[in-house]
Every structure is written in structure tokens, then in C-alpha cells.
Amino acid sequence: MKFLPPLLLCACFIYAGNGVAIPSGAVGIDAPAKIKHASLILELDANVAVLKNLDGEIYAGLDDGKLYKITISSAENSASNFAAGQNFADRNSDAAQNFNAKASVNSAGNSKVNAAAINSAENSAAVNSTKQNSAENSTALNSASNSASDAISKTLIFALPSSKNYLDEPMGATIFDVDKLGEKYAFLYNGDAFEKMLGVFAGGKITHYKLPMTGIKNVYFYDENTVILLGLGSEILYFDLSSGKVSFEQKLTIASLGGSAYDRAGGTLLISCEGGIVFYFDAKAKKLMSQKSLHKDGIYSVALLGDRMMSGSNDKERSCYYENGDFSKFYNAHFAVFAVALSPELGAFTVGNGVRVIDKAGEIVRSIELDNDIINYLLFEGEYLVGSGYNRYIYFWELK
């Protein structure tokens, strides 16, 4: 066996499919421009189980069985209302940081001299200050929420009746995935005893289908009469709605399914798995076109827009990947990347304490700071980056 020259062994790039050079190193995530608070916050009456941009419209499926269409109606009118609240929140954040530093010193002192009267007084002050900061932060959140009521509207598409759990008790019929084609909606939800079900909403009526297998995670319309179902075992199933039967089935890998994205116009289905591989599947020809091994751990989320692609993973060193035509790069987020998103001009991915926004060249241009929230869903809509975790809030960050 011949050995490669040392210079080749130290090459900076490795290649994997489609002629795109994949760098072996990962860049940092520092950014000069920081956004401390969401411009708008929409509060819903249940937790967000899925958030998607479908044909330029935002849809939120909740864990109480409701599907909402979210519309950004008048951002300009809300800007002046939110400005005071945002400045107020900035001041609270700075004050809280100063207090936290002081409180940590006091805490260390208290652990040594618990009986000292001065520490008792300081602890009392700390409690009062904490309560004050909590109240002020709540006021800032309410300010953002109130401004959202002027700028954002939600329209109920449908509401599912309650399902029953294993004890025959009522529970929310969680909608955990949704797709839209024309005026038809296909969605996955939890039925009785947590059985995964497929629903199709059209003409004001819902048709319910039993799924052909357990563990279906995603649904996409292929055409008006066919949906593509993706299983947790990386199965691809074409499901005929008229007959209720599977017309085509293929298993990509033995690894579990990660994130997925569907470019309906281009007919490309992008599927990832826990083995760190992404698969490009031709939905029209029903065959695998190519695959790339990008990460050393599972992939949570992928985004596809033309020749641009992003993936977010649990890889400890190369947690996020981005490619734009003939170049690509990795980012080390120092944390699992749960969500990624692409727009015609920008991209975004989550990090441990926030979100990073990149331009088409892959340069980080914005840094969004979060408190303790984990963002599971990201999307772009107009001049806003929109995100949500498994809670009742949808955050809107203005990027212009």
C-alpha cells in the first residue's frame, strides 16, 4: 500500500459530494452587532410544538390541537410602542448584572459567616432587589407582548378535539408537523393513547388517516393526492390519500432520522440522520442523488434554499455547517445547534445562549442574546427572524 505525502495528509480541506470543498476546521461564533431583546413577542394559549414558514406564511401548531396562521401586519406602528420597553429592559439587564456580581460575593461571605447581622441585612436587600428585577423584567416582557398585539395577528385555521391518554383522561392533540399545498393542510398529531395520526384539512373539513407505521416524524405534500411521510428509522413513504395506502417506500440508512427540508419547486428532499450524514433525495424520480458525511454526531435541523444548505448538529467541534454553491464552512457553537434557517440573503443558527445570523458569504453579522430559552424552531419572514421553543412564546427579532 502506498502512503500519501505528508502535505496531503495535512490538507486543509476534505471533499464530500457535489464538488463542494468542506473545511476540516470550524470558525468561532463571535459577532460585533448584538441584539439583546426580541422586537416583538407573541404569547399563545398553549405550547408551540411546530413552527414553519409555508409558502411565505408563518404557521404554528400547538400542543392543544390548534393550528394558527401568524401574520406580521404593521411593524412600523409598533416600533414606537416598543422603544420605551426595550430601553427599559436594557437598563434592567445592566442593573441585574451589577447586582448578580455583588450577590455572588455576598453569597460567598454568607457561607463563611452565617450568623453575621450584616449578611442578614444584605440577604434581605438581595431578596428585595431580586423581586424588583423580576418585576421589571416582567414589565419589559409585557411591553414587548403588548406591542406584538398591535403588529402581529393570529388566525385560527382549525382546532382538534382533545385526545385521551392511557388512563382515558383528556389531553391535547399535539400538532407536531404541518405542510400546506394550495388551500390544503397536511398535519401529524397525537391521537388517543399517543397514537400518531395523519390529518388533512380542506374545505373546512378534516379527514383523519391511520399511519402505515409507527414513528412517523415529518409530512410533506408531494401533490394534492400524495404526501411524503418520513419515519424515525429514516424511511421515506409516499402515501396515497385517496386509497390510504403506501405507493412507494425506501429506507435510506439504519441510523435514526434527524432534521429534514423539502424544496418542492426543485423536487429535492433533504434528509439528515443521527450519524451526521445528509441525503439528497430526488422526490420526482424517487431515488437518492447523493449524500454527505458532515458531522460526527446527530443532526437536529437542516435548511435548503437553492444551492445553499445549513445543518445543525450535536457535534462538539463542528456543530453547524453552511454551504453556498462552491464553498462551505463549519462553525463551532460550543453547544448543540437545535435549529437553522435560510432566507435569500441571510442564514441563522442557534447557539447555547442565543442565535447567530450570517450573510450569504457565511460571515456572522448579528448576535442575538437569549436568557434561558432554548430555541427549537427558526425561520425568516420579511425583515424579521422568528423563533420559538417548546413554550407559549414566539419571538420576532428585527434585522434591518
Side-chain angles (χ1 to χ4, degrees), residues 12 45 49 144 236 258 276 279 296 315:
C12 296
D45 47 4
I236 303 174
F279 301 89
K296 298 177 182 179
D315 192 324

Side-chain angles (χ1 to χ4, degrees), residues 34-55:
K34 293 185 178 181
I35 301 174
K36 279 192 174 183
H37 303 284
S39 305
L40 302 167
I41 300 174
L42 177 64
E43 182 175 1
L44 299 168
D45 47 4
N47 296 321
V48 177
V50 62
L51 185 71
K52 281 192 170 182
N53 187 326
L54 303 174
D55 298 329

Side-chain angles (χ1 to χ4, degrees), residues 213 218 220 228-238 248-261 268-275 277-283 286-292 302:
M213 62 179 294
N218 296 122
Y220 298 101
I228 300 174
L229 303 173
L230 301 182
L232 288 173
S234 296
E235 301 93 352
I236 303 174
L237 297 88
Y238 284 63
F248 174 84
E249 181 177 356
Q250 180 173 342
K251 185 176 178 66
L252 292 178
T253 175
I254 60 173
S256 299
L257 180 72
S260 66
T268 300
L269 187 62
L270 183 65
I271 301 172
S272 65
C273 70
E274 68 173 5
I277 301 173
V278 295
F279 301 89
Y280 289 82
F281 186 81
D282 188 329
K286 300 178 182 178
K287 66 178 183 179
L288 181 65
M289 294 186 293
S290 63
Q291 66 186 62
K292 298 178 181 179
V302 292

Side-chain angles (χ1 to χ4, degrees), residues 12 14 46 100 115 147 169 203 224 236 269 298 303 307 309 348 363 400:
C12 296
I14 57 176
N100 288 336
S147 63
E169 299 170 337
E224 288 190 355
I236 303 174
L269 187 62
D307 61 354
M309 188 272 282
E363 298 300 320
K400 68 176 182 179

Side-chain angles (χ1 to χ4, degrees), residues 11 28 57 97 102 116 143 158 193 210 264 315 370 385 389 394 398:
E57 298 174 331
Q97 289 178 5
K102 184 176 181 180
S143 176
F158 61 80
K210 281 190 173 294
R264 185 175 288 110
D315 192 324
L370 298 174
L385 176 64
I394 300 178
E398 192 172 12

Side-chain angles (χ1 to χ4, degrees), residues 146-198:
N146 290 336
S147 63
S149 65
D150 298 328
I152 302 171
S153 62
K154 65 180 189 293
T155 303
L156 181 65
I157 304 301
F158 61 80
L160 296 172
S162 296
S163 298
K164 293 183 179 180
N165 62 18
Y166 297 114
L167 302 176
D168 208 32
E169 299 170 337
M171 67 174 189
T174 300
I175 299 173
F176 59 91
D177 199 24
V178 64
D179 194 28
K180 181 175 183 286
L181 182 63
E183 296 304 315
K184 297 179 71 172
Y185 298 84
F187 59 96
L188 299 173
Y189 69 98
N190 286 332
D192 291 340
F194 297 95
E195 180 185 9
K196 310 300 182 185
M197 298 285 292
L198 168 67

Side-chain angles (χ1 to χ4, degrees), residues 37-43 48 51 58 72 141 144-145 152 368-375 377-379 384-398:
H37 303 284
S39 305
L40 302 167
I41 300 174
L42 177 64
E43 182 175 1
V48 177
L51 185 71
I58 303 173
I72 304 175
L141 176 62
S145 299
I152 302 171
I368 296 172
E369 296 182 357
L370 298 174
D371 292 328
N372 296 316
D373 290 334
I374 296 294
I375 298 297
Y377 310 101
L378 278 178
L379 59 89
Y384 286 91
L385 176 64
V386 185
S388 178
Y390 188 72
N391 53 40
R392 295 182 294 114
Y393 302 103
I394 300 178
Y395 303 96
F396 299 78
W397 297 281
E398 192 172 12

Side-chain angles (χ1 to χ4, degrees), residues 67 122 130 191 197 205 273 305 313 374:
L67 179 68
E122 287 174 346
T130 301
M197 298 285 292
K205 297 181 179 180
C273 70
L305 186 60
S313 78
I374 296 294

